Amino acid sequence: MIIHGDSIEKLRELEPNSIEALVTDPPYGLGDTSPKAVAECLNAWLSGSTHNAKGSGFMGKAWDKWVPDPALWREVYRVLRPGAHGLVFSGSRTEDLMSISLRLSGFEVRDRLVWLYSPRFPKSLEIGKAIDDSLGVERQIIGKQKLGGSARKRADGKSHGCAQAGQNVERSQTIINITAATSDRAILFDDWHTNLKPSYEPIILIRKPLIGTVADNVIKHSTGALNVGSCRIGSDYKYNHRIGRHPSNVMIDHSVRKLLKNKSRFYYCDKASTAEREAGLESNEQRKNIHPTVKPIDLMRYLCRLITPPAGTVLDPFAGSGTTLCAAALEGFNVLGVERELEYVRIAEARLAHWSGGAYEPSTPTDTKPTIKAGDQLSLF
């Protein structure tokens, strides 16, 4: 089931202590995280007020200007059963704020899981080029290169990556110039950058406090423990199947697995392919998954399986294009998602109908007109 509306308002309509698990990929709050802005936020939260952040975040979107407020997580806390676990994705530079928001709502922070992967390009400003541009100095063209596919899309003249160390890539249709620093100052700071290459996402493992012992809580509510048996590395994921390694709090993709040269120690999952992102959207109006932060279904299946008891319900108050819901349905769990943007609701409904084999059919269309355009689709990394 997918509910269209504001998360905090829709959560208030749900029964307390009624849901067994939370798996969600909320806004990371990639806006103004200056010391002043953080201090204002913490002062508001500690006084019991809502923090009204200014500006925008990822892709210039207002919904990403700050991490979700404790008021939102308090509603999540209310609807979860005692002992219920949650897995909450966060940004590498704002996971501290996400964690504090969760703690202030009443949750225990139990662990951090890490999904390691290897994107193709870092998002970073190359300082040598910036200095030459600032001084109005023309860069030296030292070669040309033909790009194709995703590499062509990323070579936008802002130096997301370099063809070789110390060389900047600039776009000219499909043929790009390889340039080198010209001014003395640019040469001195050639191949200096503003950011590291992102290669992991933190996932905060939380739990609503138990009532009594863990055993007491599991007997009464079915929640409070992790399903290690179905998540052992190398097992066939059957309940109580004890073959395989105890799962760790690190998960990897193909490139990292090759570096580690060990295929059986960590859970393995690559990033979502285009085919996976858009399966089920053939009859959708846009026929594309325009959501900017789509996680792989296999990763979300693993996370749902880890914390959700048999026949339990998985809640995602930031459903987006529905990946968590599709994953939960594939694992045989009940699903409940809330999403504010109607465009994403329609995409999520179509994807959920596809991956659930028709068990979850789309709702009756509304007259609300879409506002998000397909051109808004960008890669998070």
Side-chain angles (χ1 to χ4, degrees), residues 201-234:
E201 286 200 40
I203 310 167
I204 305 170
L205 176 64
I206 58 174
R207 187 176 71 181
K208 185 172 178 176
L210 304 166
I211 295 180
T213 66
V214 176
D216 292 338
N217 203 98
V218 172
I219 290 170
K220 184 173 182 180
H221 301 287
S222 299
T223 53
L226 303 176
N227 187 3
V228 167
S230 289
C231 295
R232 287 185 178 274
I233 310 304

Side-chain angles (χ1 to χ4, degrees), residues 232-282:
R232 287 185 178 274
I233 310 304
S235 76
D236 61 3
Y237 308 130
K238 291 181 180 178
Y239 283 103
N240 297 321
H241 191 77
R242 296 182 179 276
I243 297 175
R245 294 182 180 272
H246 195 107
S248 75
N249 56 6
V250 174
M251 299 162 289
I252 64 174
D253 77 348
H254 177 68
S255 59
V256 177
R257 185 175 68 171
K258 287 177 64 178
L259 291 174
L260 294 174
K261 297 181 180 179
N262 189 321
K263 300 180 180 181
S264 61
R265 187 173 294 275
F266 302 100
Y267 178 72
Y268 158 67
C269 181
D270 268 333
K271 301 193 82 173
S273 66
T274 300
E276 178 184 297
R277 291 162 60 105
E278 300 185 356
L281 300 181
E282 294 78 12

Side-chain angles (χ1 to χ4, degrees), residues 69-75 77 100-107:
D69 196 86
L72 180 281
W73 297 123
R74 280 194 286 270
E75 288 303 316
Y77 179 97
I100 290 171
S101 185
L102 289 162
R103 289 180 189 274
L104 290 176
S105 68
F107 285 108

Side-chain angles (χ1 to χ4, degrees), residues 148-218:
S150 58
R152 182 171 64 247
K153 295 178 183 178
R154 286 180 169 84
D156 60 0
K158 296 182 180 179
S159 186
H160 287 184
C162 300
Q164 299 175 18
Q167 299 174 355
N168 186 67
V169 176
E170 296 177 347
R171 181 180 179 183
S172 176
Q173 295 181 349
T174 58
I175 305 296
I176 54 96
N177 293 327
I178 301 175
T179 66
T182 299
S183 67
D184 291 342
R185 200 64 176 169
I187 292 173
L188 181 62
F189 288 96
D190 193 27
D191 208 22
W192 285 59
H193 290 257
T194 55
N195 294 308
L196 298 173
K197 182 178 181 179
S199 291
Y200 84 96
E201 286 200 40
I203 310 167
I204 305 170
L205 176 64
I206 58 174
R207 187 176 71 181
K208 185 172 178 176
L210 304 166
I211 295 180
T213 66
V214 176
D216 292 338
N217 203 98
V218 172

